[in-house]
Amino acid sequence: MQAVLQYPKIAVIQPQGCLNAANALEFERDLTTGLTKNDISILVVDLASVESLDSAGLMALLSAHKLAVSLERSFRLCNIAPSVKIIFELTQLDRVFEILENEADLSAT
């Protein structure tokens, strides 16, 4: 019998600037596209270059999280600046999302 190893395919999305009502729809489309690719099992959103996040940006992330759960895929956030991370903590969404300190934490997956 031959052992079969399957390695997860990881996609990383790196938004920049502000995630707000002006660009949340486009951001959500990018997340949806990343999650629905057949060869992707983990989608990581690297928020290192995100300066601010409003409710529309949060809703885009929540919609993508919901889609990931329904597709049985992993959805993770990483490199969140302290000024943005506080938004996740105040809304208690830090309990919903899997948040990594940096992309290197993916190696533990």
Side-chain angles (χ1 to χ4, degrees), residues 31 33 38 88-89 97:
L31 295 172
T33 300
N38 287 334
F88 289 93
E89 293 168 352
F97 292 106

Side-chain angles (χ1 to χ4, degrees), residues 1-5:
M1 183 171 176
Q2 188 176 29
V4 177
L5 299 175

Side-chain angles (χ1 to χ4, degrees), residues 97-109:
F97 292 106
E98 185 174 349
I99 299 175
L100 308 173
E101 291 303 314
N102 56 54
E103 289 179 56
D105 292 340
L106 283 171
S107 62
T109 303

Side-chain angles (χ1 to χ4, degrees), residues 52 54 71 77 86 93 95 97 100:
S52 66
D54 73 1
L71 295 173
L77 309 178
I86 194 144
L93 290 173
R95 298 177 186 183
F97 292 106
L100 308 173

Side-chain angles (χ1 to χ4, degrees), residues 18-92:
C18 301
L19 292 178
N20 55 31
N23 59 15
L25 200 56
E26 180 182 353
F27 177 53
E28 187 175 344
R29 270 185 283 205
D30 291 344
L31 295 172
T32 299
T33 300
L35 282 168
T36 55
K37 288 183 180 177
N38 287 334
D39 59 342
I40 299 300
S41 59
I42 299 173
L43 181 67
V44 179
V45 182
D46 182 345
L47 297 172
S49 298
V50 173
E51 300 163 7
S52 66
L53 178 71
D54 73 1
S55 60
L58 279 176
M59 287 305 298
L61 289 168
L62 281 168
S63 294
H65 180 269
K66 183 178 176 182
L67 177 62
V69 169
S70 72
L71 295 173
E72 297 181 351
R73 306 220 169 144
S74 183
F75 183 78
R76 301 173 186 173
L77 309 178
C78 73
N79 296 325
I80 304 174
S83 59
V84 174
K85 192 169 189 174
I86 194 144
I87 296 168
F88 289 93
E89 293 168 352
L90 289 171
T91 58
Q92 297 186 353

